[in-house]
């Protein structure tokens, strides 16, 4: 898929006392997000996320059946997230212009009460996915940006 290789970490080996790029990720899930993904997977099959960075619901990560949202050259794959009990890794994509602004952050997908985007799979559940972020450390930036 175009854009898939843009930022997915590649192993560069382990430096003395440091971490390898495989051990550093741009995206993670909270236990609550993993549980909701398991529920959505049971109902809808494999899923994926896209973060557009638009206003309102566009600033929340949107969850779709895998392949239903078409990604392209204007999207960046931040990672493929393994979730116990889900047969296929969950791809997390972000629009390239949004990634240009957020490339220095680590993102964590969480779940909070409330109604999210009408097109996101969790909307009928009374909860919504939410992004929490923190700045990457210098070591993480060096490993990810190479």
């Amino acid at each position: 898929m175009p854009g898939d290789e843009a930022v997915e970490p590649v192993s560069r080996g382990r430096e003395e006392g440091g971490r390898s790029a495989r051990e550093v990720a741009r995206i993670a899930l909270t236990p609550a997000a993993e549980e909701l993904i398991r529920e959505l997977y049971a109902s809808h099959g494999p899923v994926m996320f896209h973060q557009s960075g638009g206003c309102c619901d566009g600033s929340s990560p949107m969850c779709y059946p895998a392949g239903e949202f078409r990604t392209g050259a204007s999207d960046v794959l931040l990672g493929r997230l393994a979730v116990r009990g889900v047969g296929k890794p969950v791809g997390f994509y972000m629009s390239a212009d949004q990634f240009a602004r957020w490339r220095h952050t680590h993102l964590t997908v969480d779940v909070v009460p409330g109604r999210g985007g009408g097109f996101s799979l969790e909307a009928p559940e009374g909860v919504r996915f939410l992004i929490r972020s923190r700045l990457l450390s210098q070591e993480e930036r060096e490993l990810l940006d190479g």
Side-chain angles (χ1 to χ4, degrees):
M1 208 171 270
D4 278 4
E5 299 77 28
V7 295
E8 191 170 22
V10 275
S11 180
R12 293 186 179 86
R14 184 185 304 263
E15 295 179 21
E16 189 76 25
R19 297 184 288 177
S20 74
R22 283 276 180 220
E23 296 172 306
V24 176
R26 291 186 183 276
I27 187 81
L29 300 165
T30 64
E34 288 183 354
E35 180 59 33
L36 182 54
I37 289 169
R38 279 191 286 277
E39 293 171 18
L40 295 173
Y41 178 79
S43 297
H44 302 280
V47 298
M48 65 177 287
F49 283 95
H50 189 270
Q51 176 81 41
S52 71
C55 72
C56 307
D57 287 338
S59 59
S60 295
M62 303 291 278
C63 185
Y64 301 100
E68 187 172 298
F69 184 92
R70 296 282 183 165
T71 59
S74 64
D75 295 299
V76 174
L77 176 65
L78 295 187
R80 290 184 178 95
L81 302 161
V83 177
R84 192 175 63 247
V86 172
K88 183 178 178 185
V90 177
F92 192 102
Y93 297 83
M94 178 180 282
S95 63
D97 62 332
Q98 183 73 6
F99 177 71
R101 293 186 293 272
W102 285 20
R103 76 176 304 125
H104 63 283
T105 60
H106 178 274
L107 306 176
T108 302
V109 181
D110 200 358
V111 177
V112 295
R115 295 260 322 174
F119 297 113
S120 195
L121 288 176
E122 82 282 5
E125 307 299 321
V127 294
R128 64 185 182 93
F129 287 109
L130 173 82
I131 290 290
R132 299 188 189 281
S133 64
R134 66 168 174 81
L135 291 175
L136 292 169
S137 70
Q138 181 66 32
E139 177 191 19
E140 289 171 320
R141 283 194 307 274
E142 289 171 2
L143 286 168
L144 289 169
D145 293 336

